[in-house]
Amino acid sequence: MTIRATNQPRAHVIPLRPFPAAPGPAPAREPLWRDLVGDVLRRERLSQERTLKDVADAARISMAYLSEVERGRKEASSEVLAAAARALGLSLADVLALAQGELIRLSGARSRSAGRHERPAGPLGTVRLAA
């Protein structure tokens, strides 16, 4: 079988991936809540010198799932977060407050590095979370 050249115009190919961004610093990524909460849980577990298995058993959740929550791979439900917090001797409010503090710290560092003026996050200058 032979392929014949035709005088037909060629199809316009649209790239599926966008062109690479211009060189320079990448824009700062907004911290994800699941990463912050996972960091708080892991930091608290390690400060108590407890194993993943110990905390997972006490919380009655699987060790693999707790590991994924700590690494920010899973968005845990409030029930799972409360169970993990109780297993660590904390309340859900404690975990959320620690995560809130980390979010404020990271957001403040981001806004300062970007040269933006800081402004209060809420009506009283703090972020309010309902548990």
Side-chain angles (χ1 to χ4, degrees), residues 7-121:
N7 291 335
Q8 298 283 333
R10 292 188 173 210
H12 179 69
V13 177
I14 300 172
L16 296 178
R17 294 191 177 120
F19 291 107
R29 184 175 69 94
E30 190 76 29
L32 298 177
W33 186 247
R34 68 176 183 246
D35 291 331
L36 298 170
V37 171
D39 288 344
V40 166
L41 292 174
R42 175 166 282 177
R43 195 170 45 245
E44 188 61 33
R45 177 177 63 79
L46 293 174
S47 75
Q48 295 179 16
E49 298 180 353
R50 294 177 65 187
T51 65
L52 198 59
K53 181 174 179 14
D54 176 41
V55 175
D57 288 347
R60 302 192 68 189
I61 56 180
S62 79
M63 191 171 69
Y65 190 73
L66 179 58
S67 174
E68 289 188 301
V69 168
E70 283 188 353
R71 290 180 290 131
R73 301 285 190 256
K74 294 289 183 186
E75 192 87 50
S77 68
S78 58
E79 291 86 0
V80 168
L81 290 178
R86 276 192 307 273
L88 291 166
L90 302 170
S91 69
L92 180 58
D94 294 331
V95 171
L96 297 181
L98 290 168
Q100 173 195 8
E102 189 66 11
L103 177 61
I104 291 169
R105 186 184 69 77
L106 291 172
S107 296
R110 255 187 59 240
S111 65
R112 282 190 302 276
S113 69
R116 287 182 254 152
H117 297 291
E118 288 188 57
R119 64 177 191 199

